[in-house]
Amino acid sequence: MKVRLKVWRQKNDRTAGSFEHYDTPDLNPNMSFLEMLDVVNEVLTEKGADPIAFDHDCREGICGTCSLTINGKPHGPHRGVATCQTYMRSFRDGDTITVEPFRADPFPVMRDLIVNRAAFDKIMQSGGFISVRTGAAPDANTIPISKEVADLAMDAAACIGCGACVAACKNASAMLFVSAKASQLNLLPQGKPEKDRRVLAMVQAMDEAGFGNCTNQYECSAVCPKLISEDFIARMNRDYMAATFRQTFGSVPSTVVGG
Amino acid sequence: MNFDAKIPSGPLPQKWDRYLTEAKLVSPNNKRKYELIVVGAGLAGASAAASLGELGYKVKCFVFHDSPRRAHSIAAQGGINAAKNYQNDGDSVERLFYDTIKGGDFRSREANVYRLAQVSVKIIDQCVAQGVPFAREYGGLLANRSFGGAQVARTFYARGQTGQQLLLGAYSALSRQVGLGTVAMHTYEEMLDLVVVDGHAKGIITRNLVSGEIACHAADAVILATGGYGNVFNLSTYARGSNATAIWRAYRRGACFSNPCFTQIHPTCIPVSGDYQSKLTLMSESLRNDGRIWVPKNVGEKRAPGDIPESERDYYLERMYPSYGNLAPRDISSRAAKRVCDEGRGVGESGLGVYLDFSDAINRLGLDTIRERYGNLFDIYKEITDENAYEVPMRIFPAVHYTMGGLWVDYNLMSNVPGLFVLGEANFSDHGANRLGASALMQGLADGYFVIPYTIGNYLTGIKGGRPAVDHADFRRTEEEVRARLKRLLENKGKRTVQSFHKELGKIMWDHCGMGRNEEGLKKAIELIPQLRAEFWENVTVPGSGEELNQSLERAGRVADFLELGELMCRDALDRRESCGGHFREEFQTEDGEALRNDEDYGFVSCWEHQGDDKAPVRHREPLDYEHIQMAVRNYK
Ligand SMILES: Cc1cc2nc3c(=O)[nH]c(=O)nc-3n(C[C@H](O)[C@H](O)[C@H](O)COP(=O)(O)OP(=O)(O)OC[C@H]3O[C@@H](n4cnc5c(N)ncnc54)[C@H](O)[C@@H]3O)c2cc1C
Ligand code: FES
């Protein structure tokens, strides 16, 4: 099969970008989408042109690095599948495929299809942790945790931090990411002591990083390669309200969680 | 050269405790005066940077990734070992220690492995306290599964995403320290060289992958936690970005490279499907808990697996290794797969595959249980192959997965270059000639959380003179060399792409230094690789400039280093005239095809010292003296 690519090319975060067209050589339908780009890049390189810059690493759907908007949809056509797990058999011979970066103001384009998602790290640094010193932990079986709670925490923890949720949201809201991260820790008994401080700090950091508001459209969950449920957003909203209430009435110190 | 491992005296079980009581402490006020560089934020690097920052050291942590959370550790699926004996099945520190030494085919250092088994129990405590959502039983206690090379269930797991969850735990601890200002995080910054001043590691040269800026960073000690070098084979289960540049540059600056030929070929990966292939996907070994491995008894069998009657199937692992069966260690299982495929009994289009069959397990436990245990792995398999493994058996084949070799370190995890420490997969220390499943995560976190925070003090309290300034002559010179190399790559303007060289190198390595190795093949590889390297420097083309985000340039530097490292691996494999663990020299096997070790002549760790570009490296050795156990024939029958 062969396809025609319409690819976003942009030199860096200071210059404007535009679409370029490329006709691919003959492809095998069992190639992954990224392998298809590898093949196109080999051809470009041999011609002395700049290959298309795109982000990737594990190529098995777990590191969260790959981040292409394919035909307008973050991570492409399939539900619950990351870009790197998308295969050419999902397209037809002769298709024109539009490939863009994950677009959102807090994720500046650094080159072609690569965006900078450092804003997520900033949110995590504000409170996405349990403050436990190395070596100071009690025996792991001291606190039994019911399987249901552990499983739900794991559902939240499955987030790969790719940012598709932000790219899919018309407001560039990071609520799905933040709520998954906060809920994982808030659900577990170990995370309870810092629950209020955590959720207040993370939401504040999210706002400061320029992410927009959630208007409950849930485009985020729909494109999430790990199908993180929008229920976590509701859960975090409850945690946030409770924390704000307690803060207003004095039982939560207003300083953030120590960093 | 003297390779003194600096192992504390006393009986094995007491060595680490004794070390801890005698270790020199750095007072809290003084800690602030020391600056430490940690390169890497996988399990080893993130846990080290977080713990050292928490202790009060000033830490700078570097990753080439956009975030510490992307390190290759994230991809580990199956689990992490610890001698908790929560299952009451007779596990103990001593047993985990022995399994690891035996699994490594008696080529690792006793004292390090014993310490690893001892601290393993604390790792689980630490991770649970951080909120790592390990799998649990209905009673609320932690669940375990078994892994290859063990007869107890000591593996902790978080669905099929254990590495991800452990890394996110370490990343959260690291994030906390970044927020507190004790660790300065440098993302998108790749270490391109080590700076050695008066024989001590004192800093690194980095390139910012976005701006192209070259920078010098000075420190009181440098810690490398940069992962393994399996991508020398091009196709492997590693993330595409994993590379050897940090440890290879350190090797060229005097750090010795140990056991480079010890690579692990994992038995359960999805077979190669075409020439465009960019990576191989692992199907976690945990699948072997319930899946049964088989090939047809008949050569050239054409029927679909479901049509082949039970009596015409060969469950070869169960047949050859009845006591471990499908859970035989990785090196043994991989070689057995190669053997049946070499006999012409392999399955799939290429004939390079064996079946991993769940039908018995589904009948016994029900579809739901299997789905709950392995659902995400079955999904991955479906995505890649378009086949439903609940209905037809998976096809699997061995693939390069892990490198046991790495920079030589002593008991303190310090290399022979004072002040240069090496943690995680980047060092050689704990897995001998073969690593058991679920032991790499354990080692990475052991090194970072529980070893380096104690051992680094011993070095720091002994050094005189502070950090050099970054305009010191040695920094200037190293920086110039880095710039010259980048310039040469960019200005070469040849005809061949970086990828084409990587592919060709990978093929040479797989053919001659892969699952089976022999003198003739290795000698051939040692001829071919320098030729390929010469052609690379003649004919490679790297588009773009150095002052921008340039993935071709990143890749070129890494492949140039692989082209040197590959040769060293072949030299080591040629030098080691025995078979052990993942190193199978075809000339040295028993009558029934098992590895034939030679403890008398090769009971040592090889330590290769760089001599310069045009000279062959020199092999030194650290003898392995076993005090506590006896080297024995490794038997899984
Ligand atoms: C698919 C797969 C599954 C696995 N499953 C398991 C399992 O179930 N259980 C188990 O125990 N083990 C498993 N392993 C092995 C285990 O995951 C690795 O050995 C381990 O995670 C390595 O951790 P690390 O911290 O040493 O290095 P890595 O996680 O590889 O981290 C390397 C770090 O170094 C940085 N870095 C590297 N070079 C440079 C440079 N030059 N400059 C700047 N930064 C640099 C990177 O950015 C990264 O942060 C698996 C491996 C694979 C491939
Ligand atoms: S490349 Fe890792 S998730 Fe796609």
Side-chain angles (χ1 to χ4, degrees), chain B residues 74-242:
Chain B
I74 202 104
Q77 302 170 349
I80 177 167
N81 288 331
K84 280 288 199 186
N85 194 28
Y86 282 163
Q87 301 303 319
N88 196 24
D89 54 3
D91 200 9
S92 63
V93 166
E94 182 77 24
R95 203 177 280 278
L96 173 55
F97 155 73
Y98 189 78
D99 285 350
T100 310
I101 286 267
K102 176 185 172 193
D105 218 352
F106 304 92
R107 288 293 173 267
S108 41
R109 199 187 280 148
E110 259 189 346
N112 286 56
V113 178
Y114 201 92
R115 174 177 66 189
L116 175 65
Q118 282 176 307
V119 302
S120 70
V121 295
K122 289 178 146 188
I123 296 173
I124 304 303
D125 301 342
Q126 185 68 27
C127 295
V128 166
Q130 287 170 341
V132 170
F134 283 122
R136 289 183 181 261
E137 300 162 351
Y138 282 103
L141 302 182
L142 292 160
N144 292 105
R145 52 168 58 142
S146 22
F147 249 56
Q151 288 173 317
V152 292
R154 62 161 75 99
T155 305
F156 295 79
Y157 62 101
R159 296 206 184 128
Q161 290 126 274
T162 315
Q164 180 197 29
Q165 295 310 317
L166 296 175
L167 182 63
L168 292 178
Y171 162 73
S172 73
L174 175 61
S175 296
R176 177 166 165 254
Q177 295 305 318
V178 174
L180 290 168
T182 64
V183 179
M185 195 66 224
H186 295 252
T187 56
Y188 283 123
E189 208 157 332
E190 180 161 24
M191 163 182 166
L192 292 183
D193 219 331
L194 177 74
V195 182
V196 180
V197 180
D198 298 333
H200 287 244
K202 287 292 180 192
I204 60 173
I205 311 290
T206 60
R207 176 171 181 270
N208 183 298
L209 300 183
V210 180
S211 65
E213 189 192 340
I214 306 290
C216 300
H217 301 272
D220 295 286
V222 176
I223 298 167
L224 301 185
T226 50
Y229 51 90
N231 272 344
V232 68
F233 289 87
N234 183 33
L235 285 183
S236 77
T237 63
Y238 285 76
R240 283 304 278 166
S242 296

Side-chain angles (χ1 to χ4, degrees), chain B residues 21-78:
Chain B
T21 33
E22 288 168 8
K24 297 197 191 78
L25 296 178
V26 183
S27 75
N29 281 340
N30 280 338
K31 285 203 184 94
R32 250 180 286 133
K33 296 183 194 147
Y34 289 113
E35 289 196 17
L36 307 176
I37 283 175
V38 178
V39 187
L43 288 185
S47 56
S51 304
L52 292 167
E54 186 177 80
L55 284 173
Y57 294 109
K58 271 178 87 174
V59 179
K60 278 184 180 176
C61 181
F62 296 82
V63 295
F64 67 77
H65 287 98
D66 68 329
S67 160
R69 74 175 309 295
R70 309 252 190 249
H72 170 56
S73 294
I74 202 104
Q77 302 170 349

Side-chain angles (χ1 to χ4, degrees), chain B residues 442-462:
Chain B
M442 167 172 75
Q443 184 222 333
L445 291 179
D447 289 0
Y449 284 135
F450 296 113
V451 179
I452 192 73
Y454 303 102
T455 60
I456 203 158
N458 262 354
Y459 169 74
L460 294 173
T461 48

